[in-house]
Amino acid sequence: MKKFLQILFLTVLLVSGVSYSVQAKTLKIASTLPENITTTITTGFTKATGLPVDITYLPQEKFVEQLNHLYKKNVDCVIGPNQDDFYLAERANMLISYISPQLADLPVQTQPRKGMWTNLWVDYLGFLSNTESLHDLGLFAPEGWIDLIAKNLKDEIVLEEYEISPTIYSGIVSMWQVQGETPALNFAHEFNKQKIKFVSSQEDAIKEVMKGKKAVTILPLSKALTLEKQASNLYASVIMDANRCLYSGAGIMRGSKNQEDAQKFVDYLLSEEFTNWMKDAAIPNLWHIRLHNEDARRFLIGEAKLTIDDLGWTSLSKKEIIKQWKKA
């Protein structure tokens, strides 16, 4: 009888012209990645799962201060922040632990111990130099921090502001952790004499070097290598004497009302299906940990000295570290 009534109800709806459909769940994500990369990622996910995605964009430097806002909006998942910002989000109790089955065949050292977020991409610190400017200065491309205090590079370095750039800040802490506090601050004392030009965005620093207004800047290595291919006067080099794994990834927010689909999203981002999708889309500057194994890393950066990160220190002491560096 019950089945008969259900059929009758549906028949009445059809006859009356009223459509009958099941409301699909929408996965709510926040992204600090560029819009073109984010939409490529979410399009692939929707194609693979049939789940629609609603996207909120926010600048990388705004992620931590927007945590409460994301929580109140019931954002399910966030993609793009670096390991320092995810650590702060964990400390603020804004993330839910999830260890994807897809991690089983990936190196354990690439992931945080508690699974409060998932590292998906890795990059390194690199120099981008204008070869014409270096030639005029009588210099070779820098390969280490020590090269930046050369007399001829005075007034020839441009950097994004320490406070807003995860990359430049990572440079400071890599020197500090690899060389030790006293040698690092001694270097900072000499480095600060170089009349460095500080700008408000990475793109501004790139333009200064591309146009020959400055000779050197510091970028994620993937970005520097991409730019090197695009212009004959640019050269990318690995920072050898103190470098850092620049991890970024995804985390499930504590305010999520759709945790099951958020987990599916993280699983997808770790899958071979996803890496193939991104490869076909020709998205640069994202080195996935599934593809970027030890052999690939050694091919790229050789014997560069990498930090063993203390996220508690690098994240919680950021203001004090920058203050000491500037005052050195």
Side-chain angles (χ1 to χ4, degrees):
M1 184 68 179
K2 184 177 180 181
K3 186 174 182 180
F4 171 76
L5 290 174
Q6 289 174 335
I7 294 172
L8 180 62
F9 175 68
L10 290 173
T11 302
V12 171
L13 287 176
L14 289 171
V15 170
S16 64
V18 177
S19 63
Y20 178 79
S21 62
V22 177
Q23 183 77 30
K25 288 182 179 179
T26 298
L27 183 71
K28 299 170 70 173
I29 73 164
S31 175
T32 64
L33 297 172
E35 186 173 342
N36 67 316
I37 295 177
T38 304
T39 54
T40 301
I41 291 170
T42 55
T43 299
F45 174 70
T46 299
K47 183 178 179 181
T49 64
L51 292 167
V53 178
D54 176 69
I55 307 168
T56 297
Y57 293 99
L58 65 159
Q60 175 79 55
E61 64 271 16
K62 298 293 184 181
F63 169 61
V64 174
E65 64 186 62
Q66 290 289 319
L67 281 171
N68 285 327
H69 175 67
L70 298 177
Y71 177 83
K72 291 175 182 177
K73 286 189 67 176
N74 300 128
V75 167
D76 298 303
C77 195
V78 61
I79 55 171
N82 59 49
Q83 69 265 43
D84 292 311
D85 284 346
F86 271 128
Y87 180 85
L88 293 176
E90 177 189 354
R91 291 268 304 184
N93 198 31
M94 288 294 182
L95 300 175
I96 296 173
S97 177
Y98 176 61
I99 300 176
S100 170
Q102 293 278 358
L103 290 170
D105 60 342
L106 293 173
V108 66
Q109 64 267 26
T110 64
Q111 298 301 321
R113 285 186 306 160
K114 300 177 183 178
M116 299 303 289
W117 70 90
T118 301
N119 288 328
L120 297 165
W121 302 286
V122 63
D123 214 319
Y124 307 96
L125 297 167
F127 294 121
L128 181 72
S129 304
N130 185 304
T131 54
E132 294 170 356
S133 297
L134 290 177
H135 181 269
D136 292 341
L137 294 167
L139 297 172
F140 293 107
E143 294 185 349
W145 293 96
I146 194 67
D147 296 327
L148 296 184
I149 58 175
K151 182 179 179 180
N152 287 4
L153 276 182
K154 191 169 186 176
D155 201 29
E156 291 290 342
I157 300 169
V158 58
L159 297 177
E160 193 178 1
E161 292 281 358
Y162 295 127
E163 291 84 358
I164 63 175
S165 172
T167 303
I168 306 303
Y169 176 64
S170 288
I172 293 176
V173 297
S174 68
M175 271 291 291
W176 206 302
Q177 292 181 104
V178 171
Q179 305 290 341
E181 180 178 350
T182 299
L185 292 178
N186 287 340
F187 168 82
H189 178 73
E190 298 301 320
F191 188 55
N192 292 338
K193 297 177 182 178
Q194 292 293 76
K195 296 178 68 176
I196 300 159
K197 180 176 182 178
F198 289 97
V199 293
S200 59
S201 74
Q202 187 180 97
E203 293 307 313
D204 287 341
I206 291 169
K207 288 176 184 177
E208 291 278 322
V209 174
M210 290 185 74
K211 294 178 179 179
K213 293 181 178 180
K214 300 295 177 184
V216 180
T217 191
I218 297 171
L219 298 174
L221 182 60
S222 64
K223 182 73 171 180
L225 289 169
T226 298
L227 291 166
E228 179 190 61
K229 294 176 183 178
Q230 297 172 357
S232 60
N233 66 329
L234 297 179
Y235 182 76
S237 53
V238 179
I239 301 179
M240 298 300 295
D241 51 2
N243 211 310
R244 188 187 191 198
C245 291
L246 307 179
Y247 287 115
S248 56
I252 298 175
M253 297 292 295
R254 184 164 295 281
S256 170
K257 302 296 185 183
N258 193 6
Q259 291 183 31
E260 183 177 345
D261 288 340
Q263 291 175 2
K264 288 180 182 178
F265 185 57
V266 174
D267 292 343
Y268 172 73
L269 296 177
L270 286 163
S271 69
E272 290 186 22
E273 180 181 7
F274 171 68
T275 57
N276 290 335
W277 171 262
M278 296 297 280
K279 183 179 179 181
D280 291 342
I283 298 294
N285 308 334
L286 284 178
W287 291 337
H288 197 278
I289 59 169
R290 180 169 291 283
L291 305 177
H292 198 77
N293 54 29
E294 179 70 11
D295 290 340
R297 180 172 71 81
R298 286 300 176 194
F299 177 78
L300 272 170
I301 67 170
E303 298 301 321
K305 295 180 180 178
L306 291 172
T307 64
I308 299 175
D309 273 326
D310 176 0
L311 292 180
W313 176 70
T314 60
S315 302
L316 299 174
S317 303
K318 182 176 179 178
K319 289 183 179 180
E320 182 59 28
I321 291 168
I322 292 173
K323 180 180 177 181
Q324 288 190 54
W325 185 272
K326 285 182 168 182
K327 288 179 63 177

